[in-house]
Amino acid sequence: MRISNLLAALLALLIHLTPAQGETVNSVLANAPTAHPRLFLNAKTLEEINVNIEADPLLGQTRDHIIELADEMTNLPPLERIVEGRRLLDVSRTCLRRMCYLGLAYQLTGNPKYAQSAEEQMLAVAAFSDWNPSHYLDTAEMTAALAIGYDWCYAALSPESREIIRQAIIEKGLQSSLEGNKWWITGHNNWNQVCHAGMVIGALVIYEEEPTLAEQMIQRALDNIHHGMEVYAPDGNYPEGPMYWSYGTSFNVLLIDALQSVLGTDFDLAATPGFLDSAEYYLHASGPSGDYFNYADCNTRGGVAPPVFWFAEQSDDASLLWTQRTRLQEFLAGNHKPDGASMRIFPMTLIWASQLSEAPAPEKLSWSGNGEVPVGMHRSSWEDPRAVFIGIKGGSGSAGHGHMDTGVFVMEADGVRWAIDLGMQDYHSLESKGVKLWGEDRWKVFRLNNHSHSIVTVDGQLLSVTGSAPITKHESEGDFPHTILDTSSAYTDQLAQAQRGVGLHQSGAVFIQDELQAPAHEVQIRWAMITRADVSIDNDHQATLRQEGEQLTLKVLSPAEVQMTVVDIETPPNDYDEKNPNAKRLELTATIPANARETLSILLQPGSVPSVNLRPLPLAQW
């Protein structure tokens, strides 16, 4: 980023830390509507939703799905306070899901059965002893759930139920956020976004009865949400990866849209540097298969992401919906159970979407973002499901939900994910076995340390989690789009210097190149590619990978002296580690003498691509 652009971004951030001149929380609350519904919905938006449904059959199917699932939810028993480990979170998320479905079904149809079912669920939750404030995500999502249910079903609730639910929002939700040390208030991760969103959404439905408390909650969020939002700067990539982008950003959008829908202003939060750009990051962070570039704590695949529809409207860019339309079609064609916590804010899709009939292919085939965790992604096509895709990340394992994966890459071609990331392991599966996941035991977990990632390892050591790898070059045009990282500080005391580059040749072949310099002593390095393919080693400089009827050839262009082996990593070393079905680590090992430089240049040749005779060039000449 140019210095002038950086200064402009910093200035914009300072501007957006405070409301616009003359626009205070107190002044806008004084003129706020007192009718319900007002969160995200009112008579005008409901009319717009119906117009959109008439114009777009897919939105009509979305409405039908919401009503169908809400019908099934009316038969569910009331929620119970069941804590798993240290979390009530699954119950909170299930409640939020039910309130979104039942509340919107009531608004769309006027049928009181949906509101009556929501009322029963809310009264049960209101009777809980607390909403587990020791793990405040639980309280925040539960507060949002009851606020949405209260607001959307208000007309059908009895006066007694309104009072009980409202008091629960106030006492078990909002007031509990004032007790003890709440680190998330100034946190720099998704907790900041989710917890402030829950408190603001709750405040926006009770401000008539508790104006001082409501103003306190909203002002606190406006004063501190920048801590969670500044991670989007300068380009929009999210340091916790695409799955947590979906989580943190969903609640950030809920916060912004709640303010806008009720108070008529978002206090310029949407203009925070990098925020509106982040939908493009999320678009590029999936390969042609639909699987995420799943670095950090991230699952392999995402579903419908409702906030993307909001971003498309805000940016007037329908190409952001290129993958969302397909995912929406797949989601609606699935078998859906009324219980559970997944896809809890899916009904917001109907509120945030307009027309889906035209979603043109994005223009850019490459994308990169700097910031705390830099990433670069390249693909050969958007329209071809067999296109080539390569993604690489820099940054540091010290980032939120980070792994020891600095320099990790994933690669797809011919409809197959050849180089994979194993992704996250369920937190409770580790914590229930006594693993201190967020402390001293984190780097003992196989999926989290460097031994499970497609990177270089030196003398079998763990990577440094204090070092960070920036992007030194990203080229998106021409015959060889590529991204280069300086990974040196991830190998502090292990290597004198390290760089990694990935490039997509116009032929469809992919280069992975590492330029390494040994310290003052000899080192053994291990280059690794994690895969689920069947691997045949043809010789020390070539292997053939086969998967799903497709083929990929791996060629070692340099160095001349290298050994190639395949290690089965299906069963990791510790009893608390989750198994990795069919996973293998394709390894290249070489020795670098003291102070010497070595280049590992690897060519990945998809089976559908004509064989090409390519020679490696120094990264400085890429």
Side-chain angles (χ1 to χ4, degrees), residues 25 36 105 123 170 227 270 274 278 308 354 379 386 399 418 423 437 590 596:
V25 174
H36 298 274
L123 290 175
I170 293 169
H227 293 293
S278 70
V308 174
S354 56
R379 71 187 69 220
R386 295 171 60 82
W418 297 102
L437 180 58

Side-chain angles (χ1 to χ4, degrees), residues 106-140:
Y106 172 62
Q107 287 296 323
L108 292 170
T109 67
N111 191 328
K113 71 174 183 178
Y114 302 115
Q116 290 166 2
S117 179
E119 180 177 16
E120 181 182 19
Q121 299 291 340
M122 287 190 285
L123 290 175
V125 169
F128 288 1
S129 58
D130 60 45
W131 294 342
N132 202 37
S134 62
H135 190 259
Y136 211 79
L137 289 179
D138 312 10
T139 303

Side-chain angles (χ1 to χ4, degrees), residues 567-579:
V567 177
D568 188 335
I569 58 171
E570 180 167 350
T571 303
N574 307 300
D575 59 4
Y576 51 74
D577 283 320
E578 187 175 341
K579 288 197 172 184

Side-chain angles (χ1 to χ4, degrees), residues 337-351:
K337 297 180 180 179
D339 208 356
S342 62
M343 291 298 291
R344 53 199 179 280
I345 68 164
F346 173 80
M348 296 300 299
T349 302
L350 202 58
I351 297 173

